[in-house]
Structures are given as structure tokens and as C-alpha cells.
Amino acid sequence: MLLAFTLMLPVTSVLRAQPKPPAPRSNGLALTPPMGWSSWNDFGDEITEQIVLETIDAMVANGMRDAGYVFANLDDGWQRYKGARQEHPLEFDPVKFPRGIKYLADYAHERGMKLGIYSGPGQTTCAGYTGSIGHEAQDAALFASWGIDHLKYDSCCSHRAAPQAELQRVFRTMSNELMKQKRGIVLHACHCGWGDIWKWAADLGVNHWRIGQDISDDFNYPGNREKYYFDVLDQLDRGVGLEQYSGPGHWNDYDMLIVGLNGKSRQLVGTGASNTEYRTHFSLWAMVDSPLLVGSDVRHLDAYTLATLTNKEIIALNQDKGGSIAERVVDNGEQQIFSKELEDGSVAVLLLNRGAATADMTFLPRRDLGAPMDRFSVRDLWAHTDLGSHDTAFTTEVQSHEARVFLIRQLATSVNGRLQPDATAH
Ligand code: GLA
């Protein structure tokens, strides 16, 4: 009888009876990876109002803002008190920030920039300052009243061993409170790459999450890894296989950039990297759509470093609206090729030489990149030079620890003497 009744149900009712997965929460922000500056990698908690104001001025004057770096983010150390939240309120340090945080946000906004701040879900943050536990609604409202645009919410120390359900609860709580505010606030859930955070954070409305522990100021120095820090290649390898979780509004975060630290960070371990290695690091972070948050002192960048950070052709890969993440398509150990499809059908190709000696590297779009291009143009995005059209494998020299980055476009092919249409020509 029951069977007969069930069979007679109209199809639409049967469909309606299926349980619906909950809709992912979204604040509609960070549709391309956030770009800006963050205080931590160089200054640690020794930040002041003067440093932030001078940083904003420098980013306007040196072209960084116009290249897309609009966030000036205060990391840990802006708070007044060290110690548990149950014993202290959350206030700005009046000695470091005599005119308060709203003054900084207004200053940033008047100059076409945004201001970010830092807190965490525990009693204390990683550097021991008061956290947000039990006061999430109050803190989200406070940040919004100051004009904050970005919150790094850091659970690395307070929740290192917390079960996944508890992690989800604390990030959901803050995400919900931020979404109640009138202004949009980008949310970074910083959990140092633990708890499979990439699998669930986007559904809570998180805009980016770290995929690894803190970066060190090294290109490749395996010893740090055991001591907590990941170098550039560690972070890169960590992201292989996680591409599927990243996309517009919710990004894998490979940690803040070390370009320009030159081994002089007041905070990070590491002896620094060469100019070539910093450029490779920057190219890789752009290709995998990591947020581009500069960690060095941008008030004093040398010309080469500034040219690295403001290469608009490399930044365009990171900010491409298509949001497809570069994949490692060739892996010969020391030589690797990464490929990223852009919204307009062109393809960015990165040739990485991790080895100690210069190597010749080769790619053919169909064979190596899965790109159906038989005749293609090649542009070198660091030399800013067109390298002509090609219909055989493209081979070039790549120095030790260098990344060469090319943009390739399909060109019209000739079949029986007749030109075929070029799908991607502008
Ligand atoms: C953790 C984070 C860092 C930084 C510090 C601040 O270590 O991973 O990026 O925010 O906390 O204390």
C-alpha cells in the first residue's frame, strides 16, 4: 500500500523531499585575492601609528596602491593589553596609536586605501594580547565602527589542538558577526594550514585561509620546517592538490610575501633570498592566486624590489577575474611547469627551476598544458617582450631558482592554405 502511494507521488514532490545542502555563506567580498601590506613579517608587534601612516603615504607615492595594493593591515600588537580577555578589555594601545584606529582607517580611506586589523578566537592571541573569546559581537561592531575593512582572525596558537567542530564554531561565530555589520569586512581565518580548513572555511563565509605555518625569509631551507617555519618551496608544495578549494571569494593563502625582507626581518627567521628568488616567489604566489600581502617595510624599497612588486603583467595573473588556480602540470623534480588559464582564453605558463644549475626548459601547449593551441604567441611577462609566434615546442634557459613566466595565446592556424579563425585574438 505504502509502495503504491509513493509511486503515485508527482515527480516534483519527490524532488522537493531531497534534503538540500546548506547554501554557503558569502559576504560577496574578495572576488579576486586581496592585495596590500601587512605589518607582521617585518615589524612583528612593534607597530605604531607613525609606521602605518608613513606606510600608507609610501604606497600611494611609490605606485603600489595604483598597482592594486589597497589594504594596510595591522597584525598582532595593536592591542593595549597582554593577557586573557576575561581580565582585560580589547582596546588599542594608546602609546603606539595615540589617535586611535579610526583615525588610521579614515586616513587610509581618504587615500583610496583600506585598513585591516587582527584578533583571534582565544583568551589571548599568538603574541599574547587579549583575544575576542566571548566578545565576538562586541568586537565585530567595534571594528566596523572604526571603519575596518579586513580582519585576520588567528587561531594558530589558541586552537592548535581544537577539534574541527570547535574550529568551525569559532570561525562561524565571527563570520556571522561580521556579516551583521553595515560595512563589508574581508575575513581571513588564520589556522596555519591545520584541520583541513580549505575543505570547510568557504562555506562559513571565510575569504582566505592559510594553507601552511608561518613563512620564513628563505627560498629553500629545509631546516626551518622542522622548527615550524615553511620556506617558499615548502608553501608551494603544500598547495599542490588544494587548488580545487580556492576561487573567487575564498582563497588558499600561502602566507604573506617575503619580497624585500632581505634577511633583515625583525620577526621572521631566515637569512633572506636573492632578487631572482624573490621574483620567483612573487610569480608563484600570483599564479596560485594567493593573497598578495607584502610583508616588508614598503617605505624603503629599492628600485628592483619595487619593480618586482609592481609588475602589472604578473599582478594581472593573480587578479584575473576567471579565478582559475595554476596547476603543476609537469614535475621533473628540479624542473616544474605551472599553467593557469585566464578568463580570455590565454594561458600563463611558469617554468620553475628548483635545481642548482641553469637548465633548458621546454613546453608545448597541447602536450604539456592541455591547451589546444597549435600555433601560439609567446610574451615574456618579466622582460615585457613579445617573443613571436610558434608552432613547435618553446624552449628557453631558466637559471637556478628562477621562474620564467610567459603568456601564450592561440593564433590563427593555416589549413590547406586558408587561415582559420583565432579564438582568442583581441
Ligand atoms: C601567528 C600567525 C602570524 C602572525 C602571528 C601574530 O603566528 O601565523 O601570521 O599573525 O601569529 O602573533
Side-chain angles (χ1 to χ4, degrees):
M1 191 57 196
L2 181 65
L3 180 67
F5 176 74
T6 308
L7 288 174
M8 281 162 58
L9 273 177
V11 176
T12 48
S13 314
V14 175
L15 287 179
R16 256 188 238 122
Q18 302 288 324
K20 264 192 178 173
R25 301 273 288 148
S26 170
N27 54 19
L29 302 172
L31 297 181
T32 59
M35 291 177 64
W37 167 85
S38 165
S39 57
W40 187 255
N41 279 3
D42 195 7
F43 297 96
D45 68 355
E46 292 170 26
I47 38 171
T48 62
E49 174 183 290
Q50 191 186 346
I51 291 171
V52 179
L53 296 179
E54 288 176 5
T55 294
I56 291 169
D57 288 345
M59 291 170 82
V60 172
N62 70 13
M64 286 182 70
R65 177 200 61 187
D66 292 344
Y69 296 94
V70 293
F71 286 98
N73 289 352
L74 299 171
D75 206 288
D76 212 354
W78 62 270
Q79 311 90 327
R80 181 172 194 166
Y81 300 107
K82 279 200 166 182
R85 182 66 184 267
Q86 63 202 12
E87 283 153 25
H88 304 282
L90 182 64
E91 292 171 8
F92 60 82
D93 183 327
V95 177
K96 289 174 173 173
F97 298 97
R99 283 175 281 194
I101 305 298
K102 185 169 185 326
Y103 179 82
L104 293 181
D106 290 345
Y107 193 88
H109 296 154
E110 281 157 18
R111 288 156 183 78
M113 293 193 47
K114 295 169 184 282
L115 195 81
I117 208 159
Y118 169 102
S119 192
Q123 288 290 345
T124 56
T125 63
C126 276
Y129 293 89
T130 50
S132 287
I133 187 170
H135 297 267
E136 295 84 358
Q138 180 191 340
D139 292 356
L142 177 70
F143 298 151
S145 76
W146 284 344
I148 290 296
D149 305 291
H150 181 285
L151 172 65
K152 175 172 175 180
Y153 203 51
D154 183 357
S155 55
C156 294
C157 303
S158 59
H159 289 69
R160 183 170 185 157
Q164 213 178 68
E166 172 62 3
L167 282 172
Q168 291 172 353
R169 190 190 65 74
V170 299
F171 286 120
R172 184 183 298 110
T173 302
M174 185 47 96
S175 179
N176 287 345
E177 294 304 334
L178 292 179
M179 283 196 222
K180 287 180 195 163
Q181 310 307 316
K182 284 203 186 80
R183 63 183 305 108
I185 301 178
V186 174
L187 176 58
H188 169 194
C190 181
H191 193 58
C192 291
W194 304 317
D196 287 344
I197 188 165
W198 42 83
K199 290 190 180 159
W200 47 263
D203 284 350
L204 305 181
V206 174
N207 299 108
H208 55 116
W209 49 80
R210 285 259 298 278
I211 60 161
Q213 295 158 202
D214 291 15
I215 197 165
S216 64
D217 186 15
D218 296 290
F219 186 74
N220 187 17
Y221 184 73
N224 282 341
R225 186 171 191 151
E226 285 65 53
K227 297 183 188 133
Y228 178 78
Y229 289 93
F230 283 12
D231 60 43
V232 167
L233 292 183
D234 288 333
Q235 301 279 11
L236 177 71
D237 292 344
R238 179 101 184 154
V240 173
L242 303 184
E243 302 85 355
Q244 61 186 296
Y245 302 109
S246 197
H250 52 274
W251 307 100
N252 287 330
D253 182 335
Y254 290 61
D255 205 0
M256 299 164 287
L257 293 160
I258 56 168
V259 180
L261 288 177
N262 299 317
K264 298 200 185 85
S265 164
R266 280 152 271 199
Q267 181 57 41
L268 299 187
V269 303
T271 52
S274 68
N275 276 340
T276 298
E277 291 169 336
Y278 282 137
R279 233 167 225 200
T280 299
H281 158 51
F282 186 67
S283 304
L284 287 163
W285 265 228
M287 288 283 285
V288 296
D289 281 13
S290 177
L292 298 178
L293 295 168
V294 179
S296 52
D297 185 348
V298 298
R299 300 171 303 172
H300 308 292
L301 297 175
D302 61 44
Y304 189 95
T305 304
L306 187 59
T308 298
L309 292 171
T310 55
N311 180 337
K312 291 186 179 164
E313 293 193 88
I314 297 292
I315 291 172
L317 308 181
N318 180 266
Q319 296 294 302
D320 185 67
K321 298 266 187 312
S324 100
I325 314 299
E327 300 214 6
R328 190 158 76 189
V329 289
V330 172
D331 180 9
N332 295 331
E334 294 197 329
Q335 279 85 46
Q336 301 179 336
I337 301 181
F338 292 78
S339 160
K340 174 182 165 79
E341 202 182 324
L342 301 180
E343 198 185 27
D344 68 359
S346 57
V347 174
V349 189
L350 182 149
L351 308 181
L352 171 65
N353 181 5
R354 301 166 68 129
T358 299
D360 277 342
M361 293 186 67
T362 294
F363 69 84
L364 192 59
R366 263 188 204 280
R367 183 190 66 196
D368 302 314
L369 318 175
M373 298 181 186
D374 294 313
R375 191 162 159 262
F376 54 97
S377 63
V378 177
R379 180 170 172 78
D380 184 329
L381 301 189
W382 281 109
H384 305 295
T385 309
D386 289 324
L387 300 178
S389 69
H390 303 261
D391 55 11
T392 55
F394 180 84
T395 302
T396 191
E397 198 177 86
V398 188
Q399 290 168 31
S400 166
H401 293 185
E402 188 186 19
R404 303 286 305 275
V405 190
F406 303 100
L407 190 69
I408 63 168
R409 266 181 215 288
Q410 185 183 357
L411 293 175
T413 49
S414 161
V415 175
N416 298 331
R418 298 183 62 164
L419 270 188
Q420 301 300 298
D422 172 0
T424 59
H426 293 285

